Structures are given as C-alpha cells and as structure tokens.
Amino acid sequence: MATTTNVNSKKRDGGLSSLAPRKINVQKFSEARAAELESLHSIVSERLNKDFRSKRNKRRRTNSYNNQPAKKRYIKRQQSESLIGQVSGGGDHETKITRRVKRRMELKGNPESGFCTSCDGTKRLRTHVWHAKRFTMTKLWGFHLPLGLHGRGRGSRDVLKQSRQGVLVHDASYHIAVQLEGPEGSLLSILNMLLEPSPSSHSKEVFDSILTGRSYENAMLYHVEPPVSQAITPVTYMWRPSQIPKRRDEEKGGDGIGTDRPVSDRDYVDFRKLWVWIHASSFTEGYAILKVACQKQMNETGVSVDCLSLEGQLAKLEIFGPKASHLLQKTLHPATSSSEDPSIFKKCSMEKAEVKNVADPYKEENVSSGAILALFVIDPRLILNSPRDDSTLSFETTKTEPTESLKTTTNTEAETFPEVFNCLWDANSELNPPEEENMLCWEKHQSRMDSFCLDDPAADVPKVSSRLRSSRSCPLLLLKHKKLGNAPTGWSLILPLSWIKVFWNAFVSKGAHAIGQREKRWVSCDDGLPFFPSDFPDCKAYSSFTLSEAADLEEKAQRRPPAIRPFRIPIPPPWNSIHVTRSIGESSNQKLTSNGTNGVEISSSGGNLFDGIVARTSDSLTSFLQTFTSDNLLLFPHNTSKPNLMKTLEEDDKKVRAQIHQSSKKLCLVRVLLHAFKEGSFEEGAVVCAPTLADISLLKSSCGEGEEGRVTMPQSSVSSYFQEQPSGSWELNVSEDTLTEQSHRWPIGFVTTGFVRGSKKPAAEAFCDAVLLGRLRDEQWRDKDVKRRKKQIYVLVRNLRSCAFRLALATIVLELQESCDVHCF
C-alpha cells in the first residue's frame, strides 16, 4: 500500500511538471500544429465556398472599432489626464489648464477635510457628482443640495412606498457639529441656559444615560440675551462616553436632579467633550450663541470653556426604513485594530443588561431607542458581493469571544475604544482617508490574474496622489433614531468626511433609495414629524427660507402672460393676523363672530416675520396656561410622571415666562395635525379658521350636497382676504358687504406642510393659537355628554386660492407625545 501511494505521488509530481507553460510562443505553437490548422482551414473554406469576405448585411458592425465620437472622447480624456499629471507632478513651467479640468480635479479628489467650493463660494457635498447626475440641485444655506428627482415635484407615492417597505438614505453632511470642551459643570450650565428641554429636566435614569454618552438627546436651541429668548434651531447633542462621575450631593445621599442651586465647577471635576449638531441654515447664528454662552460662563465662574467648529471634518448619513438594519448588517463588517486585536468590534452605548446577542447589534430588541454605538469597520469596497457575504460571516470575529465582548461593554471608553474616540473626538487629530480607488482596483486585478496563473506584462503599481497615509478601516458612530409615532426605524452614521463617498456608494449599490430635500419632507410629514426649517415659524431660518421661496414663485409668475397669471398670496403666512381673531374673541364674550372690524394692519418685526412663541414641550405649555389666568383653557398637555415637575417648571421655563410677562398679547402657538373630516386636500400656506356650530352641523350632515351643503365665501373675496400694503406687509381685510361679512371666518393658524400624495392617512401640519383652540374646544364641548366629547377640535381649512372651507379635525401634538415636540427630520 505504501509503494502504491509513492507511485501515485510521483505521478502527481510528474503531472505538475508537465502542465502547460505560463507563456506560449505563438510561432512555435503554429509550427507544431500546422497539420491541424491546415485541416481546419480547409473545412472552413469549403463551408464558405472560399469566400472569406464579410456579408453585406453584417458590414454595419465591421467599422465599430473606428468610432469617431468615442475616439474624440478618449483623446480629450487622455489630454486632461496628462494635464492633471503635469499639475500634480509639478514642473518648472506654468501649465495652463481649463476650468473644466480644474473642476474635474476638485470633484474627483478626496481631501482629508473641507468641502470643495464653486466660484461663488457655495460648498459642494462629497456626493455632489452622484446627486447632480440624478437630482435637481439647488443652492440652499451655502451648499449645493439635491432638491429632488427631475420633474414637476411628483413621485411621492414611490418614496412613501420605499419608506414603508424598503430603505432610504440621505446625505446630511450639511449638518455641522460644534465641539464644547471644559469642565462638566460648566458645560451643563451652558446647556441648561440655552436648551429646552434642558438636560436637568429629564429623569435621573435618562440624565445619567445622556451624561455617560450611552444615548443622545434632541432639544431646541434658544438665544441667551434677556429679556426675551428667541428660538434658533433644533439641535442634537451628545457627550463623549465616560463613566458617570459622583457628585458631592450624591455622596451625601441626594440624587442631584432638580436641585434649586445652580451647577458649579466644584461639583464636577472631570474634563468633558460635547457635540452639538446644528442645521446649516442656522449654523452661523447657533455657533455665535454658543460662543457667547461660553464667554458668559467664563466671566461668571472664571473657568474657560472652548467652543470649536468641526465643519469639514465630520459627515452624517441618515438611513431609515424597515430594512435599514439589514442594510447595515450587509455593509458594516468588523475590522481589527492596528494591534490586530480581534475583539475591536464592541458596542459602547449598550448596558450589560441590554446586550442579548452580541453578534447582531442592529435588531430592535437589542438596541434601545436613542442609543449610540461605536464601531470600527473595514472598507466596504473590500467586501466581495458573493454568497459568502452574509451577516453571519461579517460578525464571526465577534462570535469568537462573546464573554470578552460582554465584559468590555461596561468599561470606560479609553480602554475599549482608544482608536475610535481618539480620532473622532479630538478636533486637532488627523483622520486617515480611505485608500484610493485605483490602488484597490489594481490589487483586485492582480489577485484575479494570480488566481488564473497568468502574468500581467503591465503590472506596474498605479500612480497615486502624494498622500502620506491612508486607511482601510473607518471609525464611526451609529445613532439609533428615537421611535416616534409611525416613524420608520432609522439610524444616523457619523464618520470622517473623507469616507462619505465610500459608504454612500456601498449603501446605494446594496439597494438603498437616495432622497433629497423634497422627498425627506414628504417622509417627515407622512410620519407626523416636523421638518426644519419649514415647520419652525419662530426661527429666523424659516423667515429667510420662505422669503426665498416667495421670490422664486414671483419670478416664475412674472414669466406667464398677465391673462393667466395667478393672483398673489402671502408667503410667508401673516401670522400676526391671529391677533385680530384673539381680540375679536375677547371683545365678544369669547365668541368668534364678525363685528365689522375693517383694515386691521399686520406689522412685521424686523427680519423675523413671526412675533410670538411656540410651545414645544409640555412644561412650557403648562407654564403658559398657568400664567394666562384670564381663561380656564381646556388644553391637556401630556406631562410625564416626574417627581420634580414643579421644580422643573420653576427652573427651566424662565424663557417662556419672560416672554409672556413682557407682552401678554404675544401668540402662543402649538403644532397640530389636521385630518380632513370627509373631503379636501390641504396645501401649504392654507389658513385655519374658527368654525361656528352651524358650520360643523352642516358639514357633518350626510345630506349636505352641492352648494347648499358647503361653507364658502364669494369668489371675489378670495383674492382680497389678505391685502398687500405698499410697505410689503399683509393685512387681514373684512369687507363691509353683508354677504361677505356673513361668510367671513376668522383665522386661528396656518398650514406649514400640506398633504402628501400616496399617504395612507393624509395629514397636514399646522400651527394654531393655543388660546383660540382652548376656546373652540370649550364651545364645542358645551352642552355635550362626556362620552360624546372628542379630543380632536373641529376647525375649518381653506386653501388661499380656493373659496371653499373644508371641515378638519385638529389634534394637538403635545397632548399625544410624552414630553416634547422638538424631534425633527
């Protein structure tokens, strides 16, 4: 048996030596096989009757090699590449290149930080080329942003279907992070001064989760100047993870939450870092206010707090949909660190009790809402699209040591994630960009040639840029979106800006549906969430955005002939016209009926056309109801069962009380969701009016059909409901005509986002006055049994170019949500 085995092994060795050579000499091969080639040639010549010319019906394909347009494009490409090589290589003589070549160099490059800009200074996203080929681009907030797919702005049905059945991806790199560095007590004092709800208003469990960096929080950023604080923008803030420090009052037995005394630097001795993510439309204003607050804190306490902008260093990708977790499983694969530690893939934001399956951190039950995961993943371009590319394989390094993974989730971030946090949280650190595409393609080509046992004669290393370092693994932070209402499951990726194109191409190639600003607003409205800045009328970003939209619409209208040109409507809506309705209700025993008021002028205050406040938290609305003592308003904000609620109202609602006490006539608006009672489609800018009991009974009756069963106003009064003044302001006009006066309905609010086509349950978002809503509810509940009272409020909605009033049900959002209404898309 042994002899036979040796013989077989010798045969195998001989067979290996007699394999075909790596290179073949064509001349020697043809001489050795001359007889076979001649016989083959004779057979072919007999079949073709010795006519080797191509047939006429196939000659149209014979000149495909001589394609003149393709040849011209190839020559131009070669010339541009040679010019790029001369410029990058440098030389003694000055090389003049065209603007087209310069722009291609900028867009093709991938610098470590910063955005490339156009000639007017407008910044471009790193995914600008991808979006510009497929989307309509627009200039917004200093960026070239994708507005939406080409066309007339339709396609909402397909987008909503993708949000309910697939996965959507959005490049949110226009959100900019501001890093605050200093003692923990000073940072908490700044946040309590500027944010609503403030960190100290949360329960102790939520507060500790935010403070240790296990979760993030949303809040509204306000001005710090007294006596009135104006809203700036919704922000997302997150702390650099660390173990929670013990405070002196905790050592004495207190919980440290809701105390009457302010937080001082003597209570917290740890040096902490904090990120505040701000929208690009309000970044200049928000960044300035943060610096003012840091300076004010230093003047009061003498402790320095640094405020740094991370613009051009970090990027943000948003992924949402029912298949978002599956997409992350296919794309994010664990990587080993520089020390080849196989357990680098750990989850820092999950507590030990929450970890159920370390190998699959993306399931709903494994990660809490608002959690932060720190990952160190390999370049997705290195992952082959093969049957082996499965989630079970992508996490095999984690499965090897499950005990160690569970153990390290409770350690400090310095021990668990030294590389991830040192490079991401250090504003002065240099983040390694990804490997260049031509180098990866060359390596892939070489591996394929080696697999076929072939030698490539042109196997030279490709030319790369003069970049000193590159990386094939990327640190990133994964933020799970909070579950609000019917909103789909979503994640946000925070990663270095130079890696944005790599992950964007990976997500899109794996089935993600890219969306722009318009599609993102559709999804937010379908989920009942506000969209910034369209649904934030108390911010300056809303005023500037709506004014730019009004200018664009006016320019389009001027291009049309005067005969078919539509009449002008107020954009943005005249919010201060609601003052007239409130004054009419107060002067007529709280009944919203006409009294012949004519020509009440509506003034605007500076750059902000909205003069009032928006109650976005239950505490602020409760504070307003307690301050407004003239009426017993029937509003029921949803308050959480916190033991320190009254202390929170006294400490955190100083901004609201200052506004109310300064002017009791200021508007206090609340966000409502409007659902059509029977029919109607509400557009953006539609006016919400107060109905009478006769209007409600008429529109609710099923027998009301035709003109007799509708509440309308004369067609001649539609264009004159709001009149534009020479100063540019708009005023509410009430005609003295008897018929017009009877059909007039008083405004109580305006629609900021209209219905979306394709929604299963269409809803419009509007802002209405809280006092007038309370009066309407009191009027509609009067003389009704408790069981027959609806929590929704009946209102009338009229599109600005329509004469018909539609009955709608208004639902106050703060009566549904638990604490606040500052979460936005």
Side-chain angles (χ1 to χ4, degrees):
M1 182 65 66
T3 306
T4 306
T5 306
N6 295 333
V7 171
N8 293 334
S9 62
K10 290 180 180 179
K11 289 182 178 180
R12 287 196 298 268
D13 296 339
L16 290 175
S17 62
S18 63
L19 287 175
R22 296 290 300 274
K23 295 181 181 180
I24 299 176
N25 193 331
V26 180
Q27 186 175 1
K28 292 182 179 180
F29 179 78
S30 61
E31 292 176 356
R33 301 293 181 93
E36 297 178 7
L37 292 176
E38 289 178 358
S39 62
L40 179 63
H41 182 268
S42 62
I43 295 173
V44 174
S45 61
E46 290 178 0
R47 291 183 179 181
L48 298 177
N49 296 326
K50 297 183 179 181
D51 185 8
F52 292 95
R53 295 177 301 177
S54 61
K55 296 181 180 181
R56 286 188 174 274
N57 60 345
K58 296 182 179 180
R59 284 186 181 181
R60 63 181 180 271
R61 302 181 184 273
T62 57
N63 292 329
S64 60
Y65 70 93
N66 193 18
N67 192 348
Q68 295 297 329
K71 185 180 293 185
K72 291 180 181 179
R73 288 195 299 268
Y74 176 76
I75 293 174
K76 289 184 178 180
R77 189 181 303 111
Q78 291 294 328
Q79 291 177 354
S80 63
E81 290 181 356
S82 63
L83 288 176
I84 292 174
Q86 292 177 10
V87 174
S88 60
D92 298 334
H93 62 282
E94 183 179 356
T95 304
K96 294 183 179 180
I97 58 177
T98 62
R99 175 184 173 273
R100 178 172 172 270
V101 176
K102 289 181 180 180
R103 184 172 180 270
R104 176 179 293 182
M105 292 171 55
E106 293 178 358
L107 297 178
K108 192 176 181 180
N110 188 26
E112 298 180 9
S113 61
F115 298 96
C116 60
T117 59
S118 57
C119 56
D120 59 350
T122 306
K123 294 183 283 291
R124 293 189 180 99
L125 301 177
R126 292 297 177 93
T127 57
H128 174 80
V129 176
W130 193 95
H131 282 103
K133 293 179 180 179
R134 300 164 178 86
F135 286 76
T136 300
M137 305 299 291
T138 181
K139 290 184 180 181
L140 280 177
W141 316 307
F143 284 88
H144 289 283
L145 297 181
L147 179 62
L149 294 175
H150 297 295
R152 297 180 297 170
R154 303 296 180 92
S156 57
R157 288 181 175 86
D158 182 61
V159 173
L160 296 182
K161 181 180 179 181
Q162 290 289 336
S163 67
R164 291 189 290 262
Q165 301 178 4
V167 55
L168 303 176
V169 60
H170 179 73
D171 187 1
S173 300
Y174 52 88
H175 289 78
I176 305 173
V178 176
Q179 181 168 304
L180 302 180
E181 302 177 355
E184 187 176 288
S186 301
L187 296 180
L188 280 174
S189 300
I190 294 174
L191 296 183
N192 292 331
M193 185 193 313
L194 300 178
L195 299 184
E196 182 189 12
S198 61
S200 60
S201 63
H202 298 286
S203 61
K204 186 180 185 300
E205 181 181 359
V206 177
F207 178 80
D208 292 344
S209 178
I210 298 172
L211 195 62
T212 54
R214 297 196 304 267
S215 62
Y216 68 94
E217 190 57 47
N218 302 100
M220 197 71 187
L221 182 65
Y222 284 84
H223 277 270
V224 70
E225 292 88 352
V228 179
S229 295
Q230 180 187 348
I232 299 177
T233 179
V235 298
T236 300
Y237 64 96
M238 48 190 297
W239 293 80
R240 178 174 180 173
S242 69
Q243 288 185 345
I244 182 171
K246 289 187 177 181
R247 296 181 292 273
R248 297 186 179 183
D249 53 358
E250 286 186 352
E251 295 177 356
K252 297 179 181 179
D255 57 355
I257 305 297
T259 56
D260 295 335
R261 62 182 182 84
V263 181
S264 63
D265 292 328
R266 293 185 297 272
D267 297 328
Y268 301 92
V269 295
D270 291 349
F271 183 84
R272 300 294 303 276
K273 292 183 179 181
L274 171 73
W275 280 350
V276 181
W277 288 88
I278 306 177
H279 195 273
S281 60
S282 303
F283 175 74
T284 303
E285 185 181 6
Y287 183 42
I289 290 302
L290 287 174
K291 291 195 295 186
V292 169
C294 293
Q295 184 65 31
K296 182 179 179 181
Q297 182 70 18
M298 186 181 67
N299 296 336
E300 293 178 356
T301 61
V303 179
S304 176
V305 178
D306 296 331
C307 182
L308 306 174
S309 173
L310 301 183
E311 182 179 5
Q313 299 185 26
L314 298 177
K316 190 176 183 182
L317 280 179
E318 294 180 352
I319 304 174
F320 34 88
K323 296 183 180 180
S325 301
H326 183 63
L327 177 65
L328 294 178
Q329 277 186 341
K330 294 191 300 182
T331 309
L332 304 183
H333 293 248
T336 58
S337 63
S338 58
S339 59
E340 299 298 332
D341 183 10
S343 61
I344 190 66
F345 183 73
K346 307 294 187 299
K347 302 183 294 300
C348 69
S349 63
M350 300 169 58
E351 295 182 355
K352 185 175 181 179
E354 296 176 343
V355 179
K356 297 181 181 180
N357 186 8
V358 181
D360 192 359
Y362 305 113
K363 288 187 177 180
E364 293 288 334
E365 60 271 14
N366 290 350
V367 185
S368 59
S369 179
I372 304 176
L373 308 180
L375 309 179
F376 200 73
V377 298
I378 63 175
D379 193 332
R381 297 173 296 178
L382 303 177
I383 304 172
L384 299 178
N385 295 325
S386 62
R388 290 178 55 84
D389 184 15
D390 194 14
S391 60
T392 57
L393 294 177
S394 63
F395 294 98
E396 63 181 359
T397 56
T398 316
K399 292 181 180 179
T400 56
E401 300 178 5
T403 308
E404 184 182 359
S405 300
L406 288 172
K407 182 179 179 181
T408 53
T409 52
T410 57
N411 292 340
T412 60
E413 53 86 15
E415 298 175 355
T416 310
F417 298 100
E419 295 186 3
V420 176
F421 290 99
N422 287 343
C423 57
L424 280 180
W425 284 93
D426 190 0
N428 298 323
S429 65
E430 297 180 355
L431 301 174
N432 295 334
E435 191 71 63
E436 293 191 8
E437 189 73 25
N438 54 356
M439 177 61 71
L440 295 180
C441 293
W442 178 78
E443 293 179 356
K444 186 182 296 184
H445 173 71
Q446 290 299 317
S447 64
R448 289 177 178 176
M449 296 296 290
D450 294 339
S451 64
F452 290 115
C453 299
L454 297 176
D455 292 336
D456 190 1
D460 298 333
V461 180
K463 295 181 180 180
V464 295
S465 62
S466 58
R467 188 181 296 166
L468 297 178
R469 65 191 186 283
S470 60
S471 177
R472 301 195 178 190
S473 57
C474 174
L476 57 87
L477 297 179
L478 198 60
L479 280 64
K480 184 180 180 182
H481 294 176
K482 296 189 175 181
K483 187 65 177 177
L484 298 172
N486 299 325
T489 304
W491 301 80
S492 293
L493 274 76
I494 298 177
L495 66 163
L497 186 62
S498 57
W499 282 86
I500 191 71
K501 285 196 292 187
V502 174
F503 284 90
W504 177 267
N505 295 330
F507 288 142
V508 173
S509 62
K510 287 179 172 59
H513 186 87
I515 60 174
Q517 295 291 322
R518 184 193 298 135
E519 291 88 355
K520 189 179 180 184
R521 187 178 181 184
W522 289 341
V523 177
S524 65
C525 182
D526 185 62
D527 298 332
L529 297 177
F531 182 77
F532 187 82
S534 303
D535 296 325
F536 289 80
D538 54 339
C539 300
K540 289 184 179 180
Y542 170 84
S543 303
S544 59
F545 179 71
T546 51
L547 287 176
S548 63
E549 280 190 340
D552 295 339
L553 293 176
E554 180 64 20
E555 183 181 357
K556 292 180 181 179
Q558 293 299 326
R559 298 174 185 172
R560 306 180 67 178
I564 60 175
R565 187 179 302 168
F567 61 87
R568 290 171 53 84
I569 57 176
I571 300 177
W575 295 97
N576 291 339
S577 61
I578 305 175
H579 281 295
V580 183
T581 309
R582 184 188 288 187
S583 61
I584 293 301
E586 294 175 354
S587 61
S588 59
N589 295 327
Q590 300 179 3
K591 291 183 180 181
L592 303 177
T593 57
S594 301
N595 63 345
T597 303
N598 185 20
V600 182
E601 186 178 359
I602 303 168
S603 59
S604 60
S605 56
N608 188 14
L609 303 181
F610 175 79
D611 185 18
I613 61 173
V614 176
R616 290 192 173 88
T617 61
S618 300
D619 297 339
S620 61
L621 183 57
T622 304
S623 177
F624 174 80
L625 296 178
Q626 292 178 355
T627 307
F628 197 86
T629 57
S630 60
D631 294 333
N632 187 15
L633 301 178
L634 296 178
L635 298 178
F636 312 101
H638 193 296
N639 290 324
T640 55
S641 57
K642 293 184 293 184
N644 56 342
L645 177 61
M646 296 307 298
K647 292 182 179 180
T648 303
L649 290 175
E650 294 176 2
E651 295 176 2
D652 300 331
D653 290 336
K654 294 181 180 180
K655 296 183 288 291
V656 180
R657 290 182 179 274
Q659 296 181 52
I660 297 173
H661 283 296
Q662 186 192 19
S663 176
S664 60
K665 296 182 180 180
K666 274 187 175 294
L667 298 177
C668 180
L669 303 185
V670 291
R671 189 170 71 93
V672 299
L673 299 179
L674 299 177
H675 298 273
F677 182 75
K678 281 188 177 180
E679 58 180 357
S681 177
F682 308 146
E683 300 175 355
E684 180 183 355
V687 58
V688 183
C689 300
T692 61
L693 296 180
D695 297 338
I696 299 175
S697 59
L698 176 63
L699 296 175
K700 286 176 63 178
S701 60
S702 59
C703 60
E705 297 180 358
E707 294 294 333
E708 297 181 356
R710 300 173 60 189
V711 179
T712 60
M713 63 186 306
Q715 188 67 36
S716 59
S717 303
V718 175
S719 58
S720 61
Y721 188 83
F722 294 108
Q723 288 187 350
E724 186 178 10
Q725 303 302 309
S727 60
S729 61
W730 292 80
E731 68 176 21
L732 180 65
N733 179 47
V734 182
S735 177
E736 296 181 357
D737 184 25
T738 305
L739 180 61
T740 305
E741 185 178 355
Q742 291 178 356
S743 62
H744 182 81
R745 297 298 181 269
W746 296 97
I748 64 173
F750 294 92
V751 176
T752 56
T753 300
F755 281 179
V756 181
R757 293 183 178 90
S759 179
K760 293 184 177 180
K761 191 175 181 181
E765 298 185 16
F767 285 85
C768 300
D769 186 65
V771 177
L772 298 177
L773 287 177
R775 293 175 183 173
L776 284 177
R777 176 176 283 174
D778 178 61
E779 183 179 350
Q780 296 172 11
W781 279 8
R782 196 174 301 165
D783 301 332
K784 275 191 176 182
D785 297 336
V786 178
K787 295 182 179 180
R788 296 182 58 191
R789 295 176 178 176
K790 283 189 175 182
K791 197 171 185 180
Q792 296 88 354
I793 303 173
Y794 288 104
V795 295
L796 295 178
V797 183
R798 183 184 67 85
N799 296 329
L800 293 181
R801 289 192 172 95
S802 174
C803 62
F805 291 93
R806 304 292 185 181
L807 187 64
L809 291 173
T811 304
I812 301 177
V813 178
L814 284 180
E815 294 182 348
L816 301 177
Q817 296 184 356
E818 293 186 355
S819 58
C820 60
D821 186 30
V822 297
H823 306 279
C824 67
F825 247 57

